[in-house]
Amino acid sequence: DVLLAARRVGPTGRVYGLDITPEMIELARRHQVEAGVSNAEFLLGRIEEIPLPDASVDVIVSNCVINLSGDKDAVFSEMYRVLRPGGRIAVSDIVARRELPAGVRALMVAWTGCVAGALVQDDYLARLDAAGFTEVTLTPEQVYSLADIERMAADMDVSDEVRAVANTPGTPEALDNAAMSAHIAAVRPLD
């Protein structure tokens, strides 16, 4: 995403990539060299504490990461802090359409599959609003059926673990069409 964005902003623009693991930063920097991109910088850090100054970026792009954070309010606050007035966010994330069963939220594979940490749609919008964002939109991209979830579990080779939780009474019905990938957009208003 960073390398694609670096091409879009042109030679006078600057793009930052953020990751929590040194290994991913190292890999990103290797890809940057291979791609011949000079207007990107990769930062080691957490999305709850973005290592950039206040009001320093125009756009934040996040691709299926916010659902992994344990402190989403801090994420939204940090996004707001580093955006310039009039700046915007473009987020792709997994969002719950309704509350998920506790057994699913406790399942580690559901966290790594980006489902357990998903906010319920109305909560997602309310938290962005509370952080100060305006013009907030959430557009569903794909709603996941129980069959979709079962296929993903099989692909990840965790079918037995998922099946054990899914066989809890009421859970299959609760999971069917309960999660979606969505595009979320919002603006930091002008001061």
Side-chain angles (χ1 to χ4, degrees):
D1 291 343
V2 172
L3 299 178
L4 292 172
R7 289 187 178 100
R8 289 191 63 109
V9 301
T12 60
R14 187 110 188 116
V15 178
Y16 300 96
L18 177 67
D19 200 277
I20 194 170
T21 61
E23 297 82 8
M24 288 306 294
I25 295 294
E26 182 181 319
L27 178 63
R29 288 178 179 153
R30 282 198 313 265
H31 287 296
Q32 177 183 6
V33 169
E34 291 168 7
V37 172
S38 61
N39 61 339
E41 183 178 343
F42 292 95
L43 307 171
L44 183 64
R46 301 173 54 237
I47 59 173
E48 298 87 357
E49 297 173 21
I50 301 170
L52 289 170
D54 294 356
S56 59
V57 298
D58 296 309
V59 177
I60 294 174
V61 175
S62 175
N63 193 352
C64 209
V65 174
I66 295 172
N67 63 71
L68 298 173
S69 172
D71 189 353
K72 290 163 185 66
D73 291 333
V75 173
F76 297 141
S77 176
E78 277 294 278
M79 292 170 88
Y80 189 91
R81 179 188 68 78
V82 300
L83 277 175
R84 290 186 177 105
R88 56 196 164 89
I89 65 169
V91 174
S92 176
D93 210 357
I94 300 296
V95 178
R97 298 177 72 215
R98 59 184 174 270
E99 195 54 51
L100 299 173
V104 171
R105 291 230 183 246
L107 195 59
M108 182 53 72
V109 70
W111 275 98
T112 60
C114 301
V115 174
L119 289 172
V120 175
Q121 180 175 340
D122 290 343
D123 189 27
Y124 208 118
L125 299 173
R127 288 174 187 236
L128 284 168
D129 184 62
F133 287 100
T134 60
E135 301 178 45
V136 179
T137 61
L138 189 149
T139 307
E141 297 292 327
Q142 180 177 351
V143 176
Y144 298 103
S145 68
L146 185 57
D148 293 329
I149 293 168
E150 289 169 347
R151 273 192 301 280
M152 287 185 266
D155 289 346
M156 293 170 38
D157 198 26
V158 292
S159 297
D160 292 340
E161 189 177 359
V162 171
R163 198 173 294 109
V165 172
N167 286 335
T168 305
T171 300
E173 298 80 13
L175 286 177
D176 195 31
N177 299 313
M180 65 180 163
S181 59
H183 178 265
I184 301 99
V187 174
R188 177 178 172 171
L190 297 171
D191 291 338

